[in-house]
């Protein structure tokens, strides 16, 4: 175990401006891909980037009444610095517009937000050999979300890339009820457990899951902007070797993806 109690939790919040896939998928895909050309991802571990994503969480959650005001004007918890935690900022034209945190959960690294709240059901599955990618702390700039309604796709692309890198049994998602339709439609996620209260949040959340071996390829086929190269996956999630520095910024590689011959 990690030396902390798995308590207190965080939930992703895609917001209310989620877009349905267009009746013209090519047009929809092209519009997302065009914006993706202006996106960069940053794995945030120290300094100003970390403080910026904590402030973005606070502003987003306060505006949607998911948290109460606090003096620090930041949202941070004990899951942020775990060794299996990955915090990302999403930038458009150099400006921070959204953020997502991911945990890779295994028997060796069993702590994550979903494990805290739903651990009684998930822990036996870990012990049986399953692994999870657990996205949380989705937050977005509300003005940018109104301007670019595809922002949830660009942000949650990080979860898809994480599944490509870690190859988990399931991708979990703890969400408000009104966001369930999005995850069912895009990721073929199904409800795993009924709603429970997350400490620190003012609304209950449902646990949904998507089995990667069954659903990943279909998601990538329908939404090719979720694809990534092996190089991008390594830059986002691999630990730097001795004496190496982590990449400062990573550009999405969907347009460079080529299926294996």
């Amino acid at each position: 175990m990690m030396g902390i109690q798995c308590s207190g939790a965080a939930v992703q919040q895609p917001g209310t401006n989620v877009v349905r896939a267009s009746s013209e998928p090519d047009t929809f895909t092209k519009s997302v891909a065009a914006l993706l050309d202006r996106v960069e991802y940053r794995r945030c571990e120290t300094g100003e980037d970390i403080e910026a994503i904590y402030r973005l969480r606070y502003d987003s959650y306060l505006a949607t009444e998911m948290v109460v005001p606090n003096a620090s004007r930041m949202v941070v918890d004990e899951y942020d610095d775990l060794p299996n935690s990955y915090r990302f900022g999403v930038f458009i034209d150099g400006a921070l517009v959204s953020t997502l945190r991911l945990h890779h959960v295994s028997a060796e690294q069993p702590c994550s937000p979903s494990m805290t709240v739903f651990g009684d059901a998930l822990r036996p599955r870990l012990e049986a050999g399953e692994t999870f990618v657990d996205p949380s702390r989705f937050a977005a700039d509300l003005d940018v979300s109104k301007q670019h309604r595809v922002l949830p796709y660009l942000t949650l692309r990080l979860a898809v890339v994480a599944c490509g890198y870690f190859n988990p049994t399931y991708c979990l998602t703890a969400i408000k009820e009104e966001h369930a339709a999005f995850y069912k439609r895009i990721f073929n996620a199904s409800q795993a457990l009924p709603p429970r209260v997350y400490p620190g949040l003012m609304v209950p959340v449902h646990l949904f899951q998507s089995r990667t071996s069954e659903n990943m390829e279909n998601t990538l086929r329908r939404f090719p902007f979720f694809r990534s190269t092996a190089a991008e996956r390594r830059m986002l999630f691999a630990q730097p070797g001795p004496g190496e520095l982590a990449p400062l910024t990573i550009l999405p590689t969907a347009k460079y993806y080529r299926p294996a011959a």
Side-chain angles (χ1 to χ4, degrees):
M1 294 296 291
M2 234 67 64
I4 69 167
Q5 294 293 322
C6 290
S7 60
V11 63
Q12 55 198 53
Q13 167 67 7
T16 57
N17 292 317
V18 172
V19 181
R20 292 179 181 271
S22 167
S23 58
E24 300 177 302
D26 288 345
T27 301
F28 170 76
T29 296
K30 288 177 181 177
S31 68
V32 177
L35 188 57
L36 197 63
D37 280 340
R38 297 162 55 191
V39 165
E40 63 184 70
Y41 297 123
R42 295 183 194 170
R43 185 166 154 184
C44 302
E45 297 182 340
T46 59
E48 294 180 358
D49 281 346
I50 280 289
E51 293 185 4
I53 67 172
Y54 292 165
R55 288 193 295 270
L56 179 57
R57 290 175 182 176
Y58 177 81
D59 291 341
S60 177
Y61 298 167
L62 187 66
T64 52
E65 299 183 335
M66 292 194 65
V67 298
V68 297
N70 70 60
S72 71
R73 300 189 62 82
M74 293 191 289
V75 171
V76 57
D77 60 41
E78 66 266 41
Y79 301 97
D80 279 312
D81 290 316
L82 292 177
N84 63 332
S85 174
Y86 302 83
R87 292 161 295 185
F88 291 100
V90 181
F91 294 75
I92 295 179
D93 299 333
L96 177 66
V97 296
S98 64
T99 179
L100 185 70
R101 181 180 65 191
L102 300 121
H103 288 83
H104 178 226
V105 186
S106 64
E108 294 74 26
Q109 300 281 359
C111 276
S112 78
S114 291
M115 287 298 299
T116 292
V117 177
F118 302 99
D120 58 321
L122 294 176
R123 199 167 295 109
R125 293 169 54 180
L126 280 186
E127 294 170 354
E130 292 188 5
T131 60
F132 310 120
V133 163
D134 185 12
S136 60
R137 291 302 193 200
F138 184 114
D141 181 288
L142 297 182
D143 291 333
V144 177
S145 295
K146 294 174 184 177
Q147 181 182 1
H148 298 299
R149 297 184 64 196
V150 298
L151 188 56
Y153 293 90
L154 303 180
T155 309
L156 291 171
R157 181 178 178 272
L158 286 162
V160 179
V161 177
C163 288
Y165 182 78
F166 293 111
N167 192 27
T169 316
Y170 287 92
C171 185
L172 306 176
T173 180
I175 54 174
K176 295 167 64 176
E177 185 174 10
E178 57 262 38
H179 299 139
F182 174 88
Y183 289 91
K184 290 178 182 178
R185 184 174 62 253
I186 306 304
F187 303 111
N188 197 29
S190 59
Q191 185 165 351
L193 291 167
R196 297 184 182 182
V197 174
Y198 262 53
L201 295 179
M202 300 173 65
V203 293
V205 296
H206 302 245
L207 185 68
F208 276 67
Q209 63 182 17
S210 177
R211 190 173 184 93
T212 55
S213 63
E214 296 175 357
N215 299 323
M216 177 65 68
E217 190 53 43
N218 185 54
T219 296
L220 295 174
R221 184 168 53 251
R222 293 171 60 216
F223 303 101
F225 48 79
F226 283 145
R227 293 192 180 275
S228 60
T229 64
E232 181 187 1
R233 295 192 288 271
R234 286 194 303 270
M235 286 191 292
L236 285 168
F237 295 104
Q239 294 296 339
E244 296 179 349
L245 297 176
L248 177 61
T249 185
I250 300 101
L251 301 179
T253 60
K255 67 180 179 181
Y256 301 114
Y257 171 83
R258 296 292 182 273

